[in-house]
Amino acid sequence: MDLNLLTREDEFTWRVEPHGDMRVPAVLYADEALIRDMDHKVYEQACNVAMLPGIVKASYAMPDAHWGYGFPIGGVAAFDPKQGGVVSAGGVGFDISCGVRTLTTGLRREDVETVKSELAKILYYTVPAGVGSTGKIHLDDREMDAMLAGGAQWALERGYGRTEDLERTEEHGRMPGARPEQVSPHAKKRQRDEMGTLGSGNHYLEVQHVTEIYDTGIAAVYGIRPGSIVLSIHCGSRGLGHQIGTEFLKRMALAAGQYGITLPDRELACAPIESPVGEAYLGAMRAGINCALANRQIITHLARQAFAKVLPPADLRLLYDVSHNTCKVEEHEIDGQTRPLFVHRKGATRAFGPGHAEVPPAFREVGQPVLIGGSMGTASYILAGTNESERRAFSSACHGAGRAMSRHAATRQWKGGRLVNELAERGIVIRSPSMRGVAEEAPGAYKDVSAVVDAAQQAGLARKVARLEPVVCIKG
DNA sequence: ATGTCC
């Protein structure tokens, strides 16, 4: 990105003043090197989002931002329904409620070292991964609707997981306002056999060890210790979320025209929040959130079964489950007034700070765990929400490393089998049904997650707590 | 992300 396009507000804050049809500024958070390397498309897309009706304060880009469909991935934008605000399917993303869930295991690095290949094998055969992967759970129409309304709570009622998992899940495992009847029969059909599966792309199930603690106090509250083993699950709402996104993009393109909304980019298809299509999308999208929450809950149950076979002393306790592809109604302060806003986070993690009522009581004093997934073979991070993040980006932070190269370019540069061998030499066991997928996910195709996380911390979006490095990675 | 193009 050309630095001349931006006004540097401070070392980690870059601003584009409103010009043309922009209603608010665009604000990018990153260090200079990340901004230089950032795709020019992020500039264009962040500015385009700033043109949408009812947007308040600014259109934001996180340090891991890259080119997405309409909105940048790593984009945050909030809309006020009382000012003609809109909801956009492209502002949530195709993988509705994609997110990360991390569990502590009570194990130490040395406990898994000798059994990691066996553990990888059993996890791989227990949790289906890959394009079109299906599981052992099959939902009829009635159960599908119950799942879409009940989320992780539904999963728990069916025997997948422990009661205490829910208090460590965003929305207590169940997103209110879901309207299963707004989800098309086709979207439901696609999901029928996909519960408890990882899917593909950047999704993974990873056994990680804690290599560094940055904040001892918060780490203690989170139950994270140096040298301990954790399990992280990164996945979303599978075929159902994708189908909802696809269908509503079309409906919103028509609606935008009907409501006289001029779109700077047709990919920014949107509808007024207070319109039949807007309300239908919100109901379907919330059902999609419940699908993702139920999916990660079932995978948790399957992972516990796998661990019990290889490492019976393991006790997998949920640290937290947080999404990074959502649109949620939240109270935020605008011009000294607290108002309900529709906050779109696409490739951006909610990051509520200390004292926020939505943060589980156990973490209330230190802020919400913010789970940042790295790329395959690289570090992941646990951060904590800050109060500063509220005024910086509606309490949001980055979500991962962010792609630096297209999937196609990555497959030209790397071979999956070779990557697996190289990572094995570094002690990391990879299992995946697709070597092409592994090549697409080559660590070199991503930005440096450490630089991204440092920038997020320096910009005040979240605070570093711990660094995690992979031991076993089941890759979709 | 995605039954990686109905």
Side-chain angles (χ1 to χ4, degrees):
Chain A
M1 186 178 297
D2 182 358
L3 298 186
N4 293 319
L5 295 167
L6 310 169
T7 309
R8 191 169 197 168
E9 204 169 277
D10 60 43
E11 207 180 339
F12 297 92
T13 310
W14 309 74
R15 203 177 159 90
V16 186
E17 291 308 326
H19 60 272
D21 294 328
M22 287 170 71
R23 298 164 193 261
V24 293
V27 175
L28 293 77
Y29 295 112
D31 64 30
E32 188 170 326
L34 284 166
I35 290 282
R36 276 187 197 283
D37 290 343
M38 209 175 265
D39 197 319
H40 177 70
K41 276 279 176 189
V42 174
Y43 170 86
E44 281 179 19
Q45 293 191 320
C47 290
N48 286 343
V49 170
M51 298 176 193
L52 295 175
I55 187 167
V56 292
K57 233 170 146 183
S59 157
Y60 297 99
M62 302 290 106
D64 52 338
H66 55 110
W67 182 8
Y69 187 93
F71 284 59
I73 296 162
V76 176
F79 297 84
D80 186 344
K82 299 299 169 211
Q83 294 181 54
V86 293
V87 58
S88 170
V92 171
F94 282 94
D95 191 5
I96 294 167
S97 196
C98 183
V100 180
R101 162 179 289 224
T102 295
L103 300 104
T104 59
T105 64
L107 301 168
R108 298 191 55 78
R109 174 72 205 250
E110 54 269 28
D111 299 327
V112 301
E113 195 50 38
T114 53
V115 294
K116 63 186 180 188
S117 296
E118 180 69 6
L119 182 60
K121 186 178 165 185
I122 292 196
L123 284 169
Y124 182 68
Y125 288 111
T126 309
V127 182
V131 179
S133 48
T134 54
K136 290 180 179 166
I137 299 167
H138 313 286
L139 302 184
D140 61 22
D141 292 349
R142 194 191 170 96
E143 273 298 273
M144 177 63 67
D145 284 359
M147 182 276 286
L148 294 174
Q153 288 188 20
W154 167 87
L156 202 85
E157 286 160 12
R158 299 300 182 276
Y160 306 108
R162 307 179 186 167
T163 313
E164 61 266 30
D165 295 340
L166 295 180
E167 66 203 45
R168 299 297 184 92
T169 306
E170 203 178 345
E171 303 292 345
H172 301 276
R174 179 182 178 271
M175 184 70 210
R179 292 170 62 186
E181 77 280 7
Q182 295 297 340
V183 178
S184 72
H186 186 49
K188 292 174 184 175
K189 188 181 172 193
R190 283 185 67 174
Q191 193 60 30
R192 212 158 47 185
D193 305 316
E194 290 194 341
M195 295 310 294
T197 66
L198 271 180
S200 63
N202 63 2
H203 291 168
Y204 59 76
L205 186 154
E206 199 164 85
V207 180
Q208 304 157 325
H209 66 126
V210 180
T211 58
E212 207 158 342
I213 299 284
Y214 305 100
D215 189 309
T216 318
I218 301 179
V221 174
Y222 289 175
I224 301 294
R225 279 174 281 277
S228 60
I229 293 285
V230 301
L231 178 78
S232 291
I233 299 162
H234 178 210
C235 64
S237 52
R238 307 287 289 106
L240 181 125
H242 187 267
Q243 191 62 32
I244 292 171
T246 305
E247 291 169 12
F248 274 95
L249 276 167
K250 287 178 196 154
R251 288 173 66 178
M252 284 179 171
L254 295 172
Q258 284 164 7
Y259 287 96
I261 300 169
T262 14
L263 298 175
D265 173 359
R266 56 182 295 188
E267 293 184 357
L268 286 175
C270 58
I273 292 160
E274 294 176 347
S275 71
V277 178
E279 285 170 4
Y281 175 71
L282 287 165
M285 188 262 312
R286 288 165 183 153
I289 291 179
N290 282 330
C291 177
L293 293 174
N295 195 31
R296 290 195 287 272
Q297 184 63 42
I298 294 167
I299 291 172
T300 299
H301 176 77
L302 297 174
R304 282 177 174 142
Q305 288 184 327
F307 266 79
K309 283 182 193 157
V310 184
L311 289 157
D315 180 21
L316 273 62
R317 295 188 192 178
L318 185 52
L319 167 63
Y320 203 54
D321 179 315
V322 62
S323 300
H324 47 238
N325 281 3
T326 57
C327 172
K328 296 181 77 174
V329 188
E330 295 169 6
E331 299 275 337
H332 288 284
E333 198 182 302
I334 301 292
D335 304 327
Q337 253 194 332
T338 301
R339 300 214 292 266
L341 301 175
F342 286 68
V343 184
H344 294 63
R345 294 189 183 88
K346 179 188 190 180
T349 311
R350 193 194 71 176
F352 285 149
H356 197 289
E358 293 295 314
V359 177
F363 309 139
R364 192 72 51 82
E365 283 184 25
V366 298
Q368 172 211 308
V370 178
L371 307 173
I372 309 301
S375 49
M376 182 186 60
T378 66
S380 295
Y381 286 84
I382 297 174
L383 280 61
T386 62
N387 284 325
E388 197 186 350
S389 187
E390 153 69 20
R391 66 173 184 81
R392 298 290 270 172
F394 300 113
S395 296
S396 312
C398 54
H399 83 305
R403 287 201 81 89
M405 192 186 286
S406 73
R407 294 185 175 277
H408 188 70
T411 56
R412 282 197 301 253
Q413 202 161 327
W414 290 282
K415 290 281 165 265
R418 200 168 189 173
L419 277 169
V420 169
N421 292 337
E422 284 167 10
L423 289 166
E425 282 169 24
R426 289 173 38 209
I428 303 166
V429 183
I430 306 287
R431 297 288 305 237
S432 175
S434 165
M435 282 306 117
R436 181 176 151 195
V438 168
E440 289 178 354
E441 291 295 315
Y446 280 82
K447 299 180 207 285
D448 174 5
V449 67
S450 304
V452 165
V453 164
D454 283 343
Q457 165 159 290
Q458 302 270 16
L461 301 174
R463 181 183 176 83
K464 273 162 65 171
V465 176
R467 175 183 168 95
L468 315 170
E469 289 186 36
V471 179
V472 166
C473 180
I474 311 302
K475 194 75 197 156

